[in-house]
Amino acid sequence: MAHAMIERFQALESAFTDASRRSERLSARFAAAAALDTDSDIATTVRRALRERDALDTLVSRWTYPAKPMRLVYGAALASANRDAGAFAEIKAALKAVRKRRGGRRLSFEGAGAALTLTASGASDGHVDIFFDILEGVAAPWWRRDAPSEEAYAAIMAADGETPETAQARLAKARESMLAAGVPGRHVNKAVFEVALANPGPMWFSRNWTALSVAARSRKGLVRHVGLSGLAILAAQVEDGSAAGDALIDAQSAILSLKPKPRGMVAGRLSLRLAVAINGRKTPGAAARDLSAIFAAQQAAVIAATSAAVVAAT
């Protein structure tokens, strides 16, 4: 029998598909992922997400981020966090104003992802300065920068009242835990922000990583799509690494049954999101932390669709 969380995801995906505009159909699966942990029934969850999407259409210009097809996902994330589009618009405007005053790098997607993560984490426009302080402290050199992940991490740290020093210390601890557990070096940088947000104890992480690594050697397809960085992210967020391996197999099967079938990174990130929902630790702010996985999956889908369009045109 399918896990209740898989059944909920499938019901949400179907409901969002039925309720969405034609241009939003492929966003339904990401909206379902964003709304997965809410306690509301399916109809109420979808209705609230559509209300916030419509409010975003009113408050945000057609030609700015979030782009039209993504607003359903933003609406679902805001509704799931019991926040509204007005709060999002205020924080997005504050990010723009503070960046203009301070100077520095441009935010990815015009600050829309950072604004959503701040909003969903319970922040206000008063957290924007510390967000930029933390972002400056954790930023990698531009040639190996993962800007959306850095911004999501800085947003959640700022909303939690952390300082640049504690945010950097969390990243250092996450790197040390992964390397000590045997995570291959090139996969550490890919997973470090999400592992740092989960903040597992070193022994806890090592035990789960070992269990998942053993499972990966004995179960064909466990690492497919998610990669070793995905296993590290999962190890940081679950109670039991062995049970998490079973959850990931079930999640992958459910995600790959969607039509059209997700592929590559999209399938991997959605599978991770569902596996964590099935077997993850329930900690404060978990829904906001999951946004980084959802953003990564949706961006991969946008890139894939754009690439396909270019190939078709040529």
Side-chain angles (χ1 to χ4, degrees):
M1 189 176 83
H3 190 279
M5 196 60 75
I6 291 176
E7 293 178 343
R8 178 169 174 82
F9 174 81
Q10 291 169 331
L12 281 167
E13 196 271 342
S14 177
F16 274 118
T17 298
D18 291 343
S20 63
R21 305 165 180 142
R22 185 173 181 178
S23 63
E24 296 172 330
R25 295 289 164 78
L26 288 179
S27 293
R29 58 196 57 177
F30 305 108
L36 201 51
D37 291 330
T38 59
D39 295 327
S40 301
D41 60 77
I42 302 297
T44 300
T45 299
V46 173
R47 184 173 64 252
R48 293 179 63 209
L50 293 175
R51 180 190 67 202
E52 298 309 325
R53 178 206 65 187
D54 292 344
L56 285 171
D57 285 343
T58 301
L59 292 166
V60 180
S61 165
R62 179 181 180 86
W63 310 112
T64 59
Y65 287 98
K68 272 273 192 177
M70 297 179 70
R71 291 179 189 178
L72 178 66
V73 184
Y74 277 58
L78 288 168
S80 298
N82 293 314
R83 302 300 302 272
D84 59 44
F88 165 82
E90 288 175 5
I91 290 178
K92 187 168 183 281
L95 286 168
K96 182 178 180 180
V98 171
R99 183 199 163 271
K100 183 177 180 180
R101 169 171 57 80
R102 293 172 56 129
R105 77 190 227 192
R106 293 180 181 275
L107 298 178
S108 57
F109 311 115
E110 299 174 358
L116 179 60
T117 310
L118 281 163
T119 309
S121 301
S124 68
D125 54 8
H127 291 85
V128 169
D129 265 305
I130 190 63
F131 160 78
F132 279 107
D133 290 341
I134 292 172
L135 184 61
E136 289 172 5
V138 303
W142 65 266
W143 61 86
R144 61 179 180 85
R145 179 173 293 164
D146 179 356
S149 293
E150 288 179 356
E151 291 163 17
Y153 180 75
I156 294 168
M157 290 289 99
D160 286 349
E162 302 292 349
T163 65
E165 293 74 23
T166 55
Q168 291 175 63
R170 286 266 287 268
L171 283 177
K173 175 188 170 186
R175 285 195 179 93
E176 290 169 5
S177 294
M178 284 190 282
L179 290 170
V183 179
R186 68 188 182 92
H187 296 283
V188 169
N189 285 337
K190 293 181 180 180
V192 67
F193 290 105
E194 288 173 80
V195 173
L197 286 171
N199 199 27
M203 294 298 293
W204 180 304
F205 178 84
S206 181
R207 182 177 66 248
N208 283 342
W209 170 258
T210 299
L212 282 167
S213 298
V214 170
R217 288 194 291 270
S218 61
R219 302 182 195 183
K220 185 178 179 181
L222 185 65
V223 186
R224 187 183 179 192
H225 302 307
V226 303
L228 292 178
S229 58
L231 286 191
I233 292 166
L234 188 59
Q237 297 187 57
V238 298
E239 297 279 358
D240 182 332
S242 298
D246 294 332
L248 183 56
I249 289 290
D250 291 343
Q252 286 179 332
S253 178
I255 295 302
L256 293 175
S257 70
L258 297 175
K259 302 296 181 185
K261 182 187 292 188
R263 299 185 184 279
M265 181 183 175
V266 179
R269 300 302 299 210
L270 285 172
S271 297
L272 272 180
R273 172 71 183 97
L274 188 51
V276 169
I278 293 170
N279 199 237
R281 292 182 288 158
K282 301 302 181 186
T283 55
R289 288 196 293 274
D290 291 333
L291 288 175
S292 57
I294 296 162
F295 289 154
Q298 192 173 30
Q299 260 321 104
V302 170
I303 292 168
T306 303
S307 301
V310 170
V311 170
T314 55

